[in-house]
Amino acid sequence: MIWASGKLQPLHWADLSTVNSGSIDQIHVAEGDWVEAGQVLIELDNGVLKSEVVVAEAAVAEAQAAPMNCWRPPLQAEKAAHEADLFGAQADLALAIWTTA
């Protein structure tokens, strides 16, 4: 008969964090569960982020409609400004969508 003492150590440690902070909406695993790479462990409540997507979509629509609200053809500088506004609104929308994913 052999008696031995020892200490178990995990092969790998993982520091977990989310892109955004917030309240947890759902937990998909329990303590001690085996998990796979890429598996969803938790879901955050993203109601605020979803509302930011709606606001960004409205900004894109407004930027797209702005040139049509002119009573005369836009000057080159005005056209460039409208295009910059549209590009910025589209970038904000893409970021808002990315952060909710």
Side-chain angles (χ1 to χ4, degrees):
M1 179 184 282
I2 299 175
W3 290 91
S5 63
K7 184 176 179 183
L8 294 177
Q9 300 245 352
L11 292 175
H12 303 284
W13 287 94
D15 292 324
L16 302 177
S17 64
T18 60
V19 174
N20 297 310
S21 61
S23 301
I24 294 175
D25 187 38
Q26 292 183 350
I27 301 174
H28 297 282
V29 294
E31 185 176 336
D33 284 354
W34 288 89
V35 296
E36 303 280 329
Q39 180 180 344
V40 175
L41 305 178
I42 64 168
E43 288 183 44
L44 297 179
D45 178 13
N46 62 359
V48 172
L49 296 174
K50 286 180 180 179
S51 67
E52 289 177 5
V53 170
V54 172
V55 170
E57 287 172 338
V60 168
E62 183 179 357
Q64 288 172 331
M68 294 177 220
N69 294 333
C70 294
W71 54 273
R72 60 168 169 69
L75 301 173
Q76 189 64 29
E78 292 170 330
K79 186 176 177 183
H82 288 304
E83 289 173 357
D85 289 344
L86 178 57
F87 181 75
Q90 289 170 331
D92 290 343
L93 175 58
L95 179 61
I97 290 171
W98 180 78
T99 58
T100 60

